[in-house]
Amino acid sequence: MQFSAWQYVAEILPAEELPMLAAHALVDGRDSPALRELAGLPRRSDPAEVRDLYVLALRELAIPLPDEETAGRCLLVTLAFGLAHDELSPKDVGNGLSMTVTARTGEETRFLSVAADYSEWLEPDELAGWEKELRTAAHSLAAATDLGPSIGVPGTRSD
């Protein structure tokens, strides 16, 4: 649920996915009145009601919603790890940015700057150079960040 909290704030977790997320959380042993109610909602429920129940469920489970800056940084780090571990393509990264992405460190800033340069109109030789530069920036960020384990990025571990 902590992983979903920053995704929710970063606006990459659609409301229609929240009832199923709640159902999985119940199966995993989490429980609260709002979580049960959310899990019982149909996928096409009123998005405002779904979001309200999700936020209430997080509160009942003592899972804090991160601020927008933290959520944006988490998204950025997740995209970098996905690319560094070949789970995402460079185009996926370019298309996965949202308006809430924020960079605080030099590595985050570099990765964001390169990722933001993506355009479907890049010429083939420009695209190859951009992809190489983005992969390099992704590996640098993945190696330098301490956010990976704390936000549950697969392939990382907390020491």
Side-chain angles (χ1 to χ4, degrees):
M1 293 289 289
Q2 185 64 52
F3 190 74
S4 72
W6 71 259
Q7 291 178 313
Y8 173 80
V9 174
E11 300 176 359
I12 61 168
L13 184 59
E16 62 265 12
E17 291 184 21
L18 295 175
M20 185 57 72
L21 181 84
H24 286 290
L26 287 169
V27 169
D28 290 342
R30 295 189 181 267
D31 192 16
S32 83
L35 190 65
R36 281 180 292 209
E37 187 176 346
L38 179 59
L41 290 178
R43 212 172 142 79
R44 300 272 185 227
S45 296
D46 174 42
E49 178 187 6
V50 170
R51 286 190 290 271
D52 289 347
L53 276 173
Y54 175 74
V55 171
L56 180 57
L58 289 177
R59 194 172 319 127
E60 290 173 351
L61 295 168
I63 298 173
L65 275 173
D67 59 71
E68 285 187 15
E69 177 183 338
T70 301
R73 289 182 68 219
C74 290
L75 173 59
L76 196 62
V77 166
T78 300
L79 291 171
F81 271 94
L83 181 61
H85 293 103
D86 293 322
E87 296 164 357
L88 295 174
S89 73
K91 289 181 185 177
D92 292 334
V93 171
N95 291 328
L97 295 176
S98 78
M99 293 310 216
T100 61
V101 173
T102 304
R104 185 183 298 163
T105 68
E107 290 85 3
E108 290 171 0
T109 302
R110 178 72 185 135
F111 181 73
L112 177 57
S113 174
V114 175
D117 284 340
Y118 173 70
S119 166
E120 61 186 61
W121 295 285
L122 287 173
E123 296 295 324
D125 60 324
E126 293 174 314
L127 184 61
W130 173 79
E131 287 180 354
K132 182 179 180 195
E133 190 176 359
L134 184 64
R135 286 185 188 282
T136 300
H139 284 281
S140 294
L141 176 52
T145 190
D146 60 351
L147 281 177
S150 67
I151 61 172
V153 172
T156 62
R157 62 182 174 84
S158 48
D159 296 328

